[in-house]
Amino acid sequence: SNGITISRLRNGTILHRFPSALPNGSKKGLSGPASSYSILDCIFHEPDETYYIVDMICWRGYSLYDCTAEFRFFWVNSKLTETSAGDPPSTYHRYRFSVVPMYESTLEGLQAAYSGSTPYVKDGLLFYNKHAHFQAGITPLTLVWKDNTCSQYLIDTDSEGQVPTEQHVVLELQEDGKLVTSDDPPIAFGSLDNEFIQKSNLRPGNLLRFSVRDESVKLVDGKMEIGQLQLAGKLNRSRTFADSHSKVSDDMTMH
């Protein structure tokens, strides 16, 4: 809005401030109220300097929060073609915008999404409940699937791309010292005593990274338990959520 386009990381930190061909995204493209704004959920792909659009939350001041995913996907595809935001970069359009490929959850659609080529490095499949409204944060109405075929980032690797002997999980510290996932309700995987919390200058709400060895992970009555968590450090503001239970389970199982 106001003749400028701003992209932010998940924690709100500004990534880019630039002119674009989105509505009111540059001084050249101002039309209607200058404050009319659009909000897109994107992933920036640096190799081709493109913002790949995953979802649309607002367009020219019209909120899509209460619209179904099916409508939002139709809207983003139709509205983007009304602009030149998909054109190559230029003076008043620093980065190109493109909608990620979308498919129906049919056998043919799944095969195309799973095995089809993309102009970017694929990092899993994203499933939406097409009748669901937009919901920020963790929601069971949007799921991610990753395996060795559709993601290069299935589990943590070191700087040389090798799988380490330990994997890492990110958990949130609560008031009572419990270490929990981002689920609602949260699931506890361990706890810290008050003395350790005070000595380490930790506070409730801190996101903490823990290393986990294979031998400490086991299934008890169908539920995963982690016998020993080794604190690896406190995360900075670039991370806003702890891992979900499903992510922890997948990482530990696939490792």
PDB file of all heavy atoms in Angstrom, residues 160-193:
ATOM      1  N   GLU A 160      27.570 -30.198   5.646  1.00  0.00           N
ATOM      2  CA  GLU A 160      27.994 -30.974   4.484  1.00  0.00           C
ATOM      3  C   GLU A 160      26.867 -31.846   3.931  1.00  0.00           C
ATOM      4  O   GLU A 160      27.087 -32.668   3.044  1.00  0.00           O
ATOM      5  CB  GLU A 160      29.193 -31.846   4.851  1.00  0.00           C
ATOM      6  CG  GLU A 160      30.425 -31.033   5.257  1.00  0.00           C
ATOM      7  CD  GLU A 160      31.602 -31.919   5.615  1.00  0.00           C
ATOM      8  OE1 GLU A 160      31.418 -33.160   5.645  1.00  0.00           O
ATOM      9  OE2 GLU A 160      32.691 -31.377   5.849  1.00  0.00           O
ATOM     10  N   GLY A 161      25.661 -31.665   4.475  1.00  0.00           N
ATOM     11  CA  GLY A 161      24.522 -32.418   3.980  1.00  0.00           C
ATOM     12  C   GLY A 161      24.396 -33.814   4.557  1.00  0.00           C
ATOM     13  O   GLY A 161      23.570 -34.607   4.096  1.00  0.00           O
ATOM     14  N   GLN A 162      25.188 -34.133   5.582  1.00  0.00           N
ATOM     15  CA  GLN A 162      25.140 -35.456   6.185  1.00  0.00           C
ATOM     16  C   GLN A 162      24.179 -35.474   7.374  1.00  0.00           C
ATOM     17  O   GLN A 162      24.058 -34.491   8.103  1.00  0.00           O
ATOM     18  CB  GLN A 162      26.540 -35.879   6.654  1.00  0.00           C
ATOM     19  CG  GLN A 162      27.570 -35.932   5.534  1.00  0.00           C
ATOM     20  CD  GLN A 162      27.199 -36.936   4.459  1.00  0.00           C
ATOM     21  OE1 GLN A 162      26.823 -38.070   4.754  1.00  0.00           O
ATOM     22  NE2 GLN A 162      27.294 -36.512   3.202  1.00  0.00           N
ATOM     23  N   VAL A 163      23.495 -36.608   7.558  1.00  0.00           N
ATOM     24  CA  VAL A 163      22.576 -36.745   8.687  1.00  0.00           C
ATOM     25  C   VAL A 163      23.383 -36.956   9.966  1.00  0.00           C
ATOM     26  O   VAL A 163      24.165 -37.900  10.057  1.00  0.00           O
ATOM     27  CB  VAL A 163      21.618 -37.931   8.476  1.00  0.00           C
ATOM     28  CG1 VAL A 163      20.700 -38.091   9.689  1.00  0.00           C
ATOM     29  CG2 VAL A 163      20.789 -37.726   7.214  1.00  0.00           C
ATOM     30  N   PRO A 164      23.244 -36.083  10.955  1.00  0.00           N
ATOM     31  CA  PRO A 164      24.021 -36.223  12.197  1.00  0.00           C
ATOM     32  C   PRO A 164      23.485 -37.357  13.060  1.00  0.00           C
ATOM     33  O   PRO A 164      22.421 -37.912  12.803  1.00  0.00           O
ATOM     34  CB  PRO A 164      23.821 -34.864  12.877  1.00  0.00           C
ATOM     35  CG  PRO A 164      22.482 -34.410  12.391  1.00  0.00           C
ATOM     36  CD  PRO A 164      22.370 -34.904  10.970  1.00  0.00           C
ATOM     37  N   THR A 165      24.229 -37.694  14.102  1.00  0.00           N
ATOM     38  CA  THR A 165      23.802 -38.753  15.018  1.00  0.00           C
ATOM     39  C   THR A 165      22.663 -38.290  15.908  1.00  0.00           C
ATOM     40  O   THR A 165      22.012 -39.098  16.560  1.00  0.00           O
ATOM     41  CB  THR A 165      24.976 -39.203  15.908  1.00  0.00           C
ATOM     42  OG1 THR A 165      25.484 -38.062  16.619  1.00  0.00           O
ATOM     43  CG2 THR A 165      26.085 -39.805  15.055  1.00  0.00           C
ATOM     44  N   GLU A 166      22.431 -36.985  15.957  1.00  0.00           N
ATOM     45  CA  GLU A 166      21.350 -36.429  16.756  1.00  0.00           C
ATOM     46  C   GLU A 166      20.433 -35.589  15.879  1.00  0.00           C
ATOM     47  O   GLU A 166      20.878 -34.963  14.925  1.00  0.00           O
ATOM     48  CB  GLU A 166      21.897 -35.544  17.881  1.00  0.00           C
ATOM     49  CG  GLU A 166      22.803 -36.256  18.862  1.00  0.00           C
ATOM     50  CD  GLU A 166      23.408 -35.292  19.863  1.00  0.00           C
ATOM     51  OE1 GLU A 166      23.470 -34.084  19.535  1.00  0.00           O
ATOM     52  OE2 GLU A 166      23.809 -35.725  20.949  1.00  0.00           O
ATOM     53  N   GLN A 167      19.148 -35.602  16.207  1.00  0.00           N
ATOM     54  CA  GLN A 167      18.201 -34.687  15.594  1.00  0.00           C
ATOM     55  C   GLN A 167      17.836 -33.617  16.622  1.00  0.00           C
ATOM     56  O   GLN A 167      18.176 -33.731  17.808  1.00  0.00           O
ATOM     57  CB  GLN A 167      16.953 -35.436  15.130  1.00  0.00           C
ATOM     58  CG  GLN A 167      17.167 -36.241  13.850  1.00  0.00           C
ATOM     59  CD  GLN A 167      17.451 -35.351  12.652  1.00  0.00           C
ATOM     60  OE1 GLN A 167      16.620 -34.539  12.249  1.00  0.00           O
ATOM     61  NE2 GLN A 167      18.638 -35.487  12.075  1.00  0.00           N
ATOM     62  N   HIS A 168      17.163 -32.567  16.166  1.00  0.00           N
ATOM     63  CA  HIS A 168      16.807 -31.474  17.062  1.00  0.00           C
ATOM     64  C   HIS A 168      15.300 -31.245  17.066  1.00  0.00           C
ATOM     65  O   HIS A 168      14.636 -31.421  16.038  1.00  0.00           O
ATOM     66  CB  HIS A 168      17.518 -30.181  16.650  1.00  0.00           C
ATOM     67  CG  HIS A 168      18.996 -30.211  16.871  1.00  0.00           C
ATOM     68  ND1 HIS A 168      19.875 -30.682  15.922  1.00  0.00           N
ATOM     69  CD2 HIS A 168      19.752 -29.844  17.942  1.00  0.00           C
ATOM     70  CE1 HIS A 168      21.112 -30.602  16.389  1.00  0.00           C
ATOM     71  NE2 HIS A 168      21.062 -30.101  17.607  1.00  0.00           N
ATOM     72  N   VAL A 169      14.797 -30.865  18.215  1.00  0.00           N
ATOM     73  CA  VAL A 169      13.398 -30.469  18.346  1.00  0.00           C
ATOM     74  C   VAL A 169      13.358 -29.103  19.020  1.00  0.00           C
ATOM     75  O   VAL A 169      14.247 -28.755  19.806  1.00  0.00           O
ATOM     76  CB  VAL A 169      12.578 -31.485  19.169  1.00  0.00           C
ATOM     77  CG1 VAL A 169      12.553 -32.837  18.481  1.00  0.00           C
ATOM     78  CG2 VAL A 169      13.112 -31.621  20.585  1.00  0.00           C
ATOM     79  N   VAL A 170      12.327 -28.333  18.691  1.00  0.00           N
ATOM     80  CA  VAL A 170      12.137 -27.015  19.293  1.00  0.00           C
ATOM     81  C   VAL A 170      10.876 -27.063  20.144  1.00  0.00           C
ATOM     82  O   VAL A 170       9.795 -27.379  19.647  1.00  0.00           O
ATOM     83  CB  VAL A 170      12.011 -25.920  18.216  1.00  0.00           C
ATOM     84  CG1 VAL A 170      11.702 -24.568  18.864  1.00  0.00           C
ATOM     85  CG2 VAL A 170      13.289 -25.834  17.399  1.00  0.00           C
ATOM     86  N   LEU A 171      11.025 -26.763  21.436  1.00  0.00           N
ATOM     87  CA  LEU A 171       9.913 -26.807  22.376  1.00  0.00           C
ATOM     88  C   LEU A 171       9.808 -25.479  23.116  1.00  0.00           C
ATOM     89  O   LEU A 171      10.784 -24.734  23.220  1.00  0.00           O
ATOM     90  CB  LEU A 171      10.107 -27.947  23.383  1.00  0.00           C
ATOM     91  CG  LEU A 171      10.224 -29.359  22.779  1.00  0.00           C
ATOM     92  CD1 LEU A 171      10.615 -30.365  23.851  1.00  0.00           C
ATOM     93  CD2 LEU A 171       8.919 -29.770  22.106  1.00  0.00           C
ATOM     94  N   GLU A 172       8.613 -25.201  23.619  1.00  0.00           N
ATOM     95  CA  GLU A 172       8.378 -23.944  24.335  1.00  0.00           C
ATOM     96  C   GLU A 172       8.368 -24.188  25.840  1.00  0.00           C
ATOM     97  O   GLU A 172       7.756 -25.140  26.329  1.00  0.00           O
ATOM     98  CB  GLU A 172       7.042 -23.334  23.911  1.00  0.00           C
ATOM     99  CG  GLU A 172       6.731 -22.008  24.601  1.00  0.00           C
ATOM    100  CD  GLU A 172       5.419 -21.401  24.157  1.00  0.00           C
ATOM    101  OE1 GLU A 172       4.936 -21.758  23.066  1.00  0.00           O
ATOM    102  OE2 GLU A 172       4.865 -20.567  24.913  1.00  0.00           O
ATOM    103  N   LEU A 173       9.046 -23.312  26.567  1.00  0.00           N
ATOM    104  CA  LEU A 173       9.094 -23.404  28.024  1.00  0.00           C
ATOM    105  C   LEU A 173       7.853 -22.749  28.622  1.00  0.00           C
ATOM    106  O   LEU A 173       7.543 -21.594  28.317  1.00  0.00           O
ATOM    107  CB  LEU A 173      10.349 -22.708  28.552  1.00  0.00           C
ATOM    108  CG  LEU A 173      10.523 -22.677  30.072  1.00  0.00           C
ATOM    109  CD1 LEU A 173      10.677 -24.088  30.632  1.00  0.00           C
ATOM    110  CD2 LEU A 173      11.719 -21.807  30.452  1.00  0.00           C
ATOM    111  N   GLN A 174       7.141 -23.485  29.487  1.00  0.00           N
ATOM    112  CA  GLN A 174       5.949 -22.948  30.131  1.00  0.00           C
ATOM    113  C   GLN A 174       6.239 -22.510  31.561  1.00  0.00           C
ATOM    114  O   GLN A 174       7.322 -22.744  32.098  1.00  0.00           O
ATOM    115  CB  GLN A 174       4.825 -23.989  30.111  1.00  0.00           C
ATOM    116  CG  GLN A 174       4.312 -24.301  28.710  1.00  0.00           C
ATOM    117  CD  GLN A 174       2.956 -24.973  28.721  1.00  0.00           C
ATOM    118  OE1 GLN A 174       2.714 -25.884  29.501  1.00  0.00           O
ATOM    119  NE2 GLN A 174       2.069 -24.523  27.842  1.00  0.00           N
ATOM    120  N   GLU A 175       5.235 -21.868  32.186  1.00  0.00           N
ATOM    121  CA  GLU A 175       5.389 -21.339  33.545  1.00  0.00           C
ATOM    122  C   GLU A 175       5.803 -22.416  34.541  1.00  0.00           C
ATOM    123  O   GLU A 175       6.600 -22.177  35.445  1.00  0.00           O
ATOM    124  CB  GLU A 175       4.066 -20.707  34.007  1.00  0.00           C
ATOM    125  CG  GLU A 175       3.686 -19.425  33.289  1.00  0.00           C
ATOM    126  CD  GLU A 175       4.343 -18.193  33.887  1.00  0.00           C
ATOM    127  OE1 GLU A 175       5.091 -18.348  34.876  1.00  0.00           O
ATOM    128  OE2 GLU A 175       4.115 -17.091  33.356  1.00  0.00           O
ATOM    129  N   ASP A 176       5.260 -23.629  34.381  1.00  0.00           N
ATOM    130  CA  ASP A 176       5.542 -24.707  35.324  1.00  0.00           C
ATOM    131  C   ASP A 176       6.802 -25.494  34.978  1.00  0.00           C
ATOM    132  O   ASP A 176       7.091 -26.516  35.595  1.00  0.00           O
ATOM    133  CB  ASP A 176       4.349 -25.660  35.413  1.00  0.00           C
ATOM    134  CG  ASP A 176       3.960 -26.250  34.055  1.00  0.00           C
ATOM    135  OD1 ASP A 176       4.665 -25.972  33.063  1.00  0.00           O
ATOM    136  OD2 ASP A 176       2.954 -26.973  33.992  1.00  0.00           O
ATOM    137  N   GLY A 177       7.561 -25.016  33.976  1.00  0.00           N
ATOM    138  CA  GLY A 177       8.802 -25.678  33.602  1.00  0.00           C
ATOM    139  C   GLY A 177       8.646 -26.753  32.547  1.00  0.00           C
ATOM    140  O   GLY A 177       9.644 -27.318  32.087  1.00  0.00           O
ATOM    141  N   LYS A 178       7.406 -27.047  32.150  1.00  0.00           N
ATOM    142  CA  LYS A 178       7.201 -28.072  31.131  1.00  0.00           C
ATOM    143  C   LYS A 178       7.677 -27.583  29.766  1.00  0.00           C
ATOM    144  O   LYS A 178       7.629 -26.391  29.460  1.00  0.00           O
ATOM    145  CB  LYS A 178       5.726 -28.468  31.059  1.00  0.00           C
ATOM    146  CG  LYS A 178       5.249 -29.289  32.243  1.00  0.00           C
ATOM    147  CD  LYS A 178       3.800 -29.718  32.064  1.00  0.00           C
ATOM    148  CE  LYS A 178       3.338 -30.572  33.238  1.00  0.00           C
ATOM    149  NZ  LYS A 178       1.919 -30.988  33.081  1.00  0.00           N
ATOM    150  N   LEU A 179       8.127 -28.526  28.948  1.00  0.00           N
ATOM    151  CA  LEU A 179       8.591 -28.250  27.588  1.00  0.00           C
ATOM    152  C   LEU A 179       7.570 -28.835  26.632  1.00  0.00           C
ATOM    153  O   LEU A 179       7.386 -30.053  26.583  1.00  0.00           O
ATOM    154  CB  LEU A 179       9.970 -28.871  27.368  1.00  0.00           C
ATOM    155  CG  LEU A 179      11.054 -28.380  28.332  1.00  0.00           C
ATOM    156  CD1 LEU A 179      12.271 -29.292  28.277  1.00  0.00           C
ATOM    157  CD2 LEU A 179      11.444 -26.940  28.012  1.00  0.00           C
ATOM    158  N   VAL A 180       6.891 -27.963  25.882  1.00  0.00           N
ATOM    159  CA  VAL A 180       5.719 -28.410  25.135  1.00  0.00           C
ATOM    160  C   VAL A 180       5.807 -28.057  23.655  1.00  0.00           C
ATOM    161  O   VAL A 180       6.602 -27.213  23.230  1.00  0.00           O
ATOM    162  CB  VAL A 180       4.429 -27.792  25.726  1.00  0.00           C
ATOM    163  CG1 VAL A 180       4.273 -28.175  27.187  1.00  0.00           C
ATOM    164  CG2 VAL A 180       4.439 -26.270  25.569  1.00  0.00           C
ATOM    165  N   THR A 181       4.955 -28.725  22.879  1.00  0.00           N
ATOM    166  CA  THR A 181       4.827 -28.471  21.447  1.00  0.00           C
ATOM    167  C   THR A 181       3.890 -27.286  21.219  1.00  0.00           C
ATOM    168  O   THR A 181       3.319 -26.728  22.160  1.00  0.00           O
ATOM    169  CB  THR A 181       4.260 -29.706  20.735  1.00  0.00           C
ATOM    170  OG1 THR A 181       2.922 -29.943  21.223  1.00  0.00           O
ATOM    171  CG2 THR A 181       5.122 -30.935  21.007  1.00  0.00           C
ATOM    172  N   SER A 182       3.700 -26.940  19.964  1.00  0.00           N
ATOM    173  CA  SER A 182       2.835 -25.809  19.614  1.00  0.00           C
ATOM    174  C   SER A 182       1.383 -26.227  19.430  1.00  0.00           C
ATOM    175  O   SER A 182       0.554 -25.410  19.026  1.00  0.00           O
ATOM    176  CB  SER A 182       3.341 -25.154  18.319  1.00  0.00           C
ATOM    177  OG  SER A 182       3.366 -26.105  17.264  1.00  0.00           O
ATOM    178  N   ASP A 183       1.062 -27.486  19.700  1.00  0.00           N
ATOM    179  CA  ASP A 183      -0.301 -27.969  19.498  1.00  0.00           C
ATOM    180  C   ASP A 183      -1.273 -27.337  20.495  1.00  0.00           C
ATOM    181  O   ASP A 183      -0.873 -26.777  21.518  1.00  0.00           O
ATOM    182  CB  ASP A 183      -0.340 -29.496  19.655  1.00  0.00           C
ATOM    183  CG  ASP A 183       0.562 -30.200  18.667  1.00  0.00           C
ATOM    184  OD1 ASP A 183       0.133 -30.393  17.520  1.00  0.00           O
ATOM    185  OD2 ASP A 183       1.704 -30.532  19.042  1.00  0.00           O
ATOM    186  N   ASP A 184      -2.561 -27.431  20.187  1.00  0.00           N
ATOM    187  CA  ASP A 184      -3.612 -26.950  21.076  1.00  0.00           C
ATOM    188  C   ASP A 184      -4.574 -28.103  21.365  1.00  0.00           C
ATOM    189  O   ASP A 184      -5.360 -28.471  20.499  1.00  0.00           O
ATOM    190  CB  ASP A 184      -4.363 -25.782  20.424  1.00  0.00           C
ATOM    191  CG  ASP A 184      -5.406 -25.167  21.352  1.00  0.00           C
ATOM    192  OD1 ASP A 184      -5.349 -25.445  22.572  1.00  0.00           O
ATOM    193  OD2 ASP A 184      -6.276 -24.426  20.849  1.00  0.00           O
ATOM    194  N   PRO A 185      -4.507 -28.697  22.566  1.00  0.00           N
ATOM    195  CA  PRO A 185      -3.627 -28.342  23.686  1.00  0.00           C
ATOM    196  C   PRO A 185      -2.196 -28.808  23.447  1.00  0.00           C
ATOM    197  O   PRO A 185      -1.971 -29.767  22.699  1.00  0.00           O
ATOM    198  CB  PRO A 185      -4.267 -29.091  24.862  1.00  0.00           C
ATOM    199  CG  PRO A 185      -4.910 -30.287  24.230  1.00  0.00           C
ATOM    200  CD  PRO A 185      -5.422 -29.813  22.907  1.00  0.00           C
ATOM    201  N   PRO A 186      -1.221 -28.153  24.085  1.00  0.00           N
ATOM    202  CA  PRO A 186       0.186 -28.527  23.889  1.00  0.00           C
ATOM    203  C   PRO A 186       0.492 -29.893  24.488  1.00  0.00           C
ATOM    204  O   PRO A 186      -0.163 -30.344  25.427  1.00  0.00           O
ATOM    205  CB  PRO A 186       0.946 -27.414  24.613  1.00  0.00           C
ATOM    206  CG  PRO A 186      -0.015 -26.896  25.630  1.00  0.00           C
ATOM    207  CD  PRO A 186      -1.367 -27.009  25.008  1.00  0.00           C
ATOM    208  N   ILE A 187       1.504 -30.544  23.930  1.00  0.00           N
ATOM    209  CA  ILE A 187       1.935 -31.858  24.404  1.00  0.00           C
ATOM    210  C   ILE A 187       3.335 -31.716  24.996  1.00  0.00           C
ATOM    211  O   ILE A 187       4.233 -31.165  24.358  1.00  0.00           O
ATOM    212  CB  ILE A 187       1.930 -32.879  23.255  1.00  0.00           C
ATOM    213  CG1 ILE A 187       0.506 -33.037  22.709  1.00  0.00           C
ATOM    214  CG2 ILE A 187       2.484 -34.228  23.710  1.00  0.00           C
ATOM    215  CD1 ILE A 187       0.421 -33.875  21.460  1.00  0.00           C
ATOM    216  N   ALA A 188       3.501 -32.194  26.227  1.00  0.00           N
ATOM    217  CA  ALA A 188       4.775 -32.055  26.936  1.00  0.00           C
ATOM    218  C   ALA A 188       5.708 -33.212  26.599  1.00  0.00           C
ATOM    219  O   ALA A 188       5.299 -34.370  26.561  1.00  0.00           O
ATOM    220  CB  ALA A 188       4.537 -31.994  28.438  1.00  0.00           C
ATOM    221  N   PHE A 189       6.982 -32.879  26.357  1.00  0.00           N
ATOM    222  CA  PHE A 189       8.003 -33.890  26.103  1.00  0.00           C
ATOM    223  C   PHE A 189       9.071 -33.909  27.192  1.00  0.00           C
ATOM    224  O   PHE A 189      10.029 -34.666  27.105  1.00  0.00           O
ATOM    225  CB  PHE A 189       8.668 -33.649  24.749  1.00  0.00           C
ATOM    226  CG  PHE A 189       7.946 -34.291  23.600  1.00  0.00           C
ATOM    227  CD1 PHE A 189       7.301 -33.516  22.652  1.00  0.00           C
ATOM    228  CD2 PHE A 189       7.907 -35.666  23.467  1.00  0.00           C
ATOM    229  CE1 PHE A 189       6.638 -34.105  21.589  1.00  0.00           C
ATOM    230  CE2 PHE A 189       7.245 -36.268  22.415  1.00  0.00           C
ATOM    231  CZ  PHE A 189       6.604 -35.487  21.469  1.00  0.00           C
ATOM    232  N   GLY A 190       8.920 -33.063  28.202  1.00  0.00           N
ATOM    233  CA  GLY A 190       9.899 -33.017  29.273  1.00  0.00           C
ATOM    234  C   GLY A 190       9.671 -31.789  30.131  1.00  0.00           C
ATOM    235  O   GLY A 190       8.661 -31.085  29.988  1.00  0.00           O
ATOM    236  N   SER A 191      10.616 -31.508  31.026  1.00  0.00           N
ATOM    237  CA  SER A 191      10.499 -30.338  31.900  1.00  0.00           C
ATOM    238  C   SER A 191      11.884 -29.930  32.399  1.00  0.00           C
ATOM    239  O   SER A 191      12.839 -30.713  32.350  1.00  0.00           O
ATOM    240  CB  SER A 191       9.582 -30.642  33.087  1.00  0.00           C
ATOM    241  OG  SER A 191      10.131 -31.683  33.885  1.00  0.00           O
ATOM    242  N   LEU A 192      11.974 -28.687  32.872  1.00  0.00           N
ATOM    243  CA  LEU A 192      13.200 -28.160  33.468  1.00  0.00           C
ATOM    244  C   LEU A 192      12.884 -27.723  34.893  1.00  0.00           C
ATOM    245  O   LEU A 192      11.801 -27.191  35.157  1.00  0.00           O
ATOM    246  CB  LEU A 192      13.719 -26.960  32.670  1.00  0.00           C
ATOM    247  CG  LEU A 192      14.110 -27.207  31.201  1.00  0.00           C
ATOM    248  CD1 LEU A 192      14.524 -25.891  30.552  1.00  0.00           C
ATOM    249  CD2 LEU A 192      15.231 -28.228  31.101  1.00  0.00           C
ATOM    250  N   ASP A 193      13.829 -27.936  35.824  1.00  0.00           N
ATOM    251  CA  ASP A 193      13.577 -27.503  37.197  1.00  0.00           C
ATOM    252  C   ASP A 193      13.872 -26.014  37.344  1.00  0.00           C
ATOM    253  O   ASP A 193      14.593 -25.413  36.540  1.00  0.00           O
ATOM    254  CB  ASP A 193      14.392 -28.323  38.200  1.00  0.00           C
ATOM    255  CG  ASP A 193      15.897 -28.226  37.972  1.00  0.00           C
ATOM    256  OD1 ASP A 193      16.422 -27.095  37.939  1.00  0.00           O
ATOM    257  OD2 ASP A 193      16.543 -29.277  37.821  1.00  0.00           O
TER     258      ASP A 193
END
